[in-house]
Amino acid sequence: MSQQNRRKLEPTPALIPFGKHVVELRKKKGLSQEDLAGLCQLDRTYISGIENGKRNISLTNVFKLANALGIKPKVLLDYSEAGETL
Protein backbone atom coordinates (compact mmCIF):
# COMPACT_ATOMS: atom_id res chain seq x y z
CA MET A 1 0.00 0.00 0.00
CA SER A 2 1.46 3.38 -0.91
CA GLN A 3 2.04 6.08 1.68
CA GLN A 4 -0.74 8.18 0.14
CA ASN A 5 -3.31 5.38 0.38
CA ARG A 6 -2.73 4.62 4.06
CA ARG A 7 -5.47 6.00 6.21
CA LYS A 8 -4.38 7.83 9.30
CA LEU A 9 -5.68 6.21 12.45
CA GLU A 10 -7.15 8.64 14.94
CA PRO A 11 -7.50 7.94 18.67
CA THR A 12 -10.90 6.61 19.74
CA PRO A 13 -12.07 7.98 23.12
CA ALA A 14 -13.24 4.56 24.30
CA LEU A 15 -9.81 3.03 23.61
CA ILE A 16 -7.62 5.69 25.21
CA PRO A 17 -8.00 4.51 28.86
CA PHE A 18 -7.15 0.93 27.85
CA GLY A 19 -4.07 2.17 26.01
CA LYS A 20 -2.92 4.16 29.03
CA HIS A 21 -3.37 1.07 31.17
CA VAL A 22 -1.22 -0.97 28.77
CA VAL A 23 1.51 1.70 28.95
CA GLU A 24 1.41 1.64 32.75
CA LEU A 25 1.63 -2.16 32.92
CA ARG A 26 4.40 -2.28 30.30
CA LYS A 27 6.49 0.30 32.13
CA LYS A 28 5.99 -1.49 35.48
CA LYS A 29 7.58 -4.54 33.85
CA GLY A 30 10.45 -2.41 32.54
CA LEU A 31 9.64 -3.20 28.91
CA SER A 32 9.97 -1.02 25.85
CA GLN A 33 7.33 -1.15 23.13
CA GLU A 34 9.84 -3.13 21.08
CA ASP A 35 10.34 -5.63 23.93
CA LEU A 36 6.60 -6.09 24.42
CA ALA A 37 6.03 -6.44 20.69
CA GLY A 38 8.64 -9.18 20.52
CA LEU A 39 7.11 -11.07 23.42
CA CYS A 40 3.66 -10.82 21.82
CA GLN A 41 4.89 -11.52 18.30
CA LEU A 42 3.22 -8.30 17.18
CA ASP A 43 4.67 -5.29 15.39
CA ARG A 44 5.97 -2.41 17.52
CA THR A 45 3.78 0.03 15.60
CA TYR A 46 0.75 -2.09 16.54
CA ILE A 47 1.70 -1.83 20.23
CA SER A 48 2.07 1.93 19.77
CA GLY A 49 -1.39 2.07 18.18
CA ILE A 50 -2.89 0.22 21.14
CA GLU A 51 -1.20 2.50 23.64
CA ASN A 52 -2.34 5.60 21.78
CA GLY A 53 -5.97 4.48 21.59
CA LYS A 54 -5.82 3.98 17.83
CA ARG A 55 -6.23 0.19 17.72
CA ASN A 56 -9.24 -1.82 18.81
CA ILE A 57 -7.49 -5.11 19.49
CA SER A 58 -8.87 -8.61 19.20
CA LEU A 59 -9.42 -10.94 22.11
CA THR A 60 -6.54 -13.07 20.82
CA ASN A 61 -4.23 -10.09 21.16
CA VAL A 62 -5.55 -9.31 24.64
CA PHE A 63 -4.37 -12.78 25.65
CA LYS A 64 -1.01 -12.27 23.91
CA LEU A 65 -0.48 -8.97 25.74
CA ALA A 66 -1.50 -10.41 29.10
CA ASN A 67 0.78 -13.41 28.65
CA ALA A 68 3.70 -11.19 27.66
CA LEU A 69 3.12 -8.97 30.70
CA GLY A 70 2.84 -11.98 33.00
CA ILE A 71 -0.70 -11.14 34.08
CA LYS A 72 -4.17 -12.59 33.67
CA PRO A 73 -6.30 -11.09 30.89
CA LYS A 74 -8.80 -9.83 33.48
CA VAL A 75 -6.05 -7.65 35.00
CA LEU A 76 -5.36 -6.16 31.60
CA LEU A 77 -9.05 -5.41 31.18
CA ASP A 78 -9.51 -4.04 34.69
CA TYR A 79 -8.81 -0.35 34.27
CA SER A 80 -10.61 2.42 36.12
CA GLU A 81 -11.64 4.73 33.30
CA ALA A 82 -13.59 2.44 31.00
CA GLY A 83 -14.36 4.54 27.94
CA GLU A 84 -18.00 5.34 28.32
CA THR A 85 -18.35 6.97 24.90
CA LEU A 86 -18.94 3.74 23.00
Side-chain angles (χ1 to χ4, degrees):
M1 189 176 344
S2 75
Q3 194 74 338
Q4 292 175 325
N5 292 336
R6 290 185 184 167
R7 68 182 181 129
K8 184 174 174 168
L9 294 175
E10 296 295 328
T12 302
L15 302 177
I16 292 171
F18 177 77
K20 288 180 180 179
H21 186 57
V22 172
V23 172
E24 182 180 305
L25 293 168
R26 175 178 60 77
K27 287 183 176 181
K28 280 184 181 177
K29 294 290 183 177
L31 299 171
S32 68
Q33 286 181 346
E34 187 87 23
D35 295 334
L36 182 57
L39 292 169
C40 296
Q41 298 182 337
L42 297 169
D43 192 88
R44 190 215 46 88
T45 59
Y46 186 78
I47 299 297
S48 175
I50 294 167
E51 291 184 354
N52 289 302
K54 296 179 179 181
R55 294 279 183 179
N56 189 3
I57 69 173
S58 69
L59 187 57
T60 299
N61 288 341
V62 167
F63 277 82
K64 285 181 180 182
L65 276 174
N67 186 52
L69 292 167
I71 59 176
K72 294 181 184 237
K74 70 178 185 177
V75 173
L76 188 60
L77 296 171
D78 185 18
Y79 51 99
S80 60
E81 298 177 322
E84 296 178 19
T85 58
L86 291 175

